[in-house]
């Protein structure tokens, strides 16, 4: 979870509260937006498609429909999982069809088994990832296998350029003598487009948070 500084300008899309995300405005031409876990808030998705004019796929099996329709946002009533079933999708088919994917993910802990299901080739299809991690150091019965292995896996293909503690989290955990919030949001850039200028020197949380 080392945060780096990028030469790309960072902007915030979506509402000021939960549902808005800080991204790097890289100038990339994205193949699509995959938005995983939307609930009743699609302010990020609306801002994104208006800015970049690309197709978005919004996934959430916990709601019947989106709070607002948009011609560039297709709703799929499925949750994200490491398995492909009638009620869940692992996104592998969509990832295979697109390059330079922008992905937004907030799926309440199931990010761990999903990330574990990806190959490095699939991860390299994702040019930018904004993701909320939930309780990564909690090992409780029934909880998705949250562990630090997914961070090592992501660090092989991407660079962490923004870190934001969630202000509604349960607390902190101490891992290797460092206090880490139980819930936090990350922005990752694929290494070939990251334009890293050094270690992050901005305050956390930052102005855009």
């Amino acid at each position: 979870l080392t945060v780096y500084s990028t030469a790309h300008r960072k902007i915030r899309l979506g509402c000021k509260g939960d549902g808005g995300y800080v991204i790097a405005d890289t100038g990339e031409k994205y193949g699509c937006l995959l938005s995983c876990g939307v609930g009743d808030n699609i302010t990020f998705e609306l801002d994104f498609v208006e800015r970049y004019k690309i197709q978005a796929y919004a996934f959430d099996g916990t709601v019947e429909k989106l709070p607002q329709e948009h011609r560039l946002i297709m709703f799929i009533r499925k949750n994200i999982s490491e398995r492909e079933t009638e009620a869940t999708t692992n996104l592998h088919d969509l990832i295979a069809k697109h390059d330079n994917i922008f992905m937004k993910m907030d799926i309440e802990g199931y990010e761990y088994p999903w990330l574990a299901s990806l190959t490095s080739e699939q991860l390299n299809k994702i040019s930018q990832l904004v993701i909320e991690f939930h309780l990564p150091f909690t090992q409780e019965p029934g909880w998705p296998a949250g562990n630090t292995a997914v961070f090592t896996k992501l660090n092989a293909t991407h660079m962490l350029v923004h870190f934001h503690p969630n202000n509604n989290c349960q607390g902190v955990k101490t891992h290797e003598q460092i206090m880490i919030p139980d819930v936090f949001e990350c922005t990752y850039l694929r290494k070939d487009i990251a334009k890293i200028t050094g270690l992050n020197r901005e305050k956390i949380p930052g102005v855009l948070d």
Side-chain angles (χ1 to χ4, degrees):
L1 289 173
T2 300
V3 188
Y4 295 91
S5 179
T6 175
H8 297 296
R9 183 173 67 104
K10 291 196 281 189
I11 60 174
R12 184 181 181 89
L13 299 181
C15 61
K16 290 184 177 180
D18 193 32
Y21 292 88
V22 175
I23 73 169
D25 194 19
T26 64
E28 287 287 300
K29 183 172 177 57
Y30 299 111
C32 69
L33 165 64
L34 300 183
S35 182
C36 309
V38 292
D40 61 355
N41 187 334
I42 60 166
T43 56
F44 174 84
E45 290 75 13
L46 290 170
D47 281 356
F48 192 95
V49 297
E50 286 299 321
R51 186 179 186 89
Y52 296 108
K53 311 299 183 188
I54 61 165
Q55 179 68 53
Y57 301 90
F59 295 86
D60 201 313
T62 68
V63 295
E64 293 187 4
K65 61 181 182 179
L66 296 180
Q68 179 180 340
E69 292 186 358
H70 189 284
R71 61 182 179 84
L72 288 175
I73 303 176
M74 177 184 293
F75 175 61
I76 297 97
R77 195 181 179 191
K78 284 189 172 187
N79 287 321
I80 307 303
S81 168
E82 73 277 23
R83 294 183 296 273
E84 192 74 27
T85 70
E86 288 187 6
T88 65
T89 178
N90 56 24
L91 301 174
H92 291 189
D93 285 346
L94 272 174
I95 291 173
K97 294 176 182 176
H98 295 278
D99 293 311
N100 286 333
I101 296 165
F102 191 106
M103 179 165 288
K104 187 219 82 174
M105 179 164 283
D106 180 5
I107 55 173
E108 309 304 322
Y110 291 94
E111 60 271 13
Y112 302 106
W114 179 77
L115 282 167
S117 77
L118 298 183
T119 65
S120 59
E121 289 77 16
Q122 288 169 320
L123 277 172
N124 271 310
K125 290 289 199 90
I126 302 169
S127 60
Q128 187 165 178
L129 168 69
V130 289
I131 182 169
E132 186 166 280
F133 286 103
H134 304 78
L135 304 170
F137 309 107
T138 297
Q139 302 291 333
E140 297 179 356
W143 180 252
N147 54 60
T148 58
V150 296
F151 302 111
T152 302
K153 187 172 188 175
L154 270 174
N155 288 340
T157 55
H158 291 70
M159 306 290 283
L160 179 61
V161 298
H162 192 77
F163 181 95
H164 169 57
N166 188 300
N167 62 4
N168 192 34
C169 67
Q170 291 87 340
V172 297
K173 293 285 190 303
T174 300
H175 178 73
E176 296 183 359
Q177 300 181 332
I178 298 173
M179 286 201 308
I180 302 174
D182 281 341
V183 182
F184 50 87
E185 297 168 9
C186 295
T187 303
Y188 284 92
L189 289 177
R190 198 174 60 215
K191 286 185 174 180
D192 64 312
I193 61 170
K195 292 187 178 179
I196 298 303
T197 59
L199 291 174
N200 175 69
R201 300 297 179 187
E202 298 176 2
K203 290 183 179 181
I204 298 177
V207 173
L208 292 173
D209 296 316

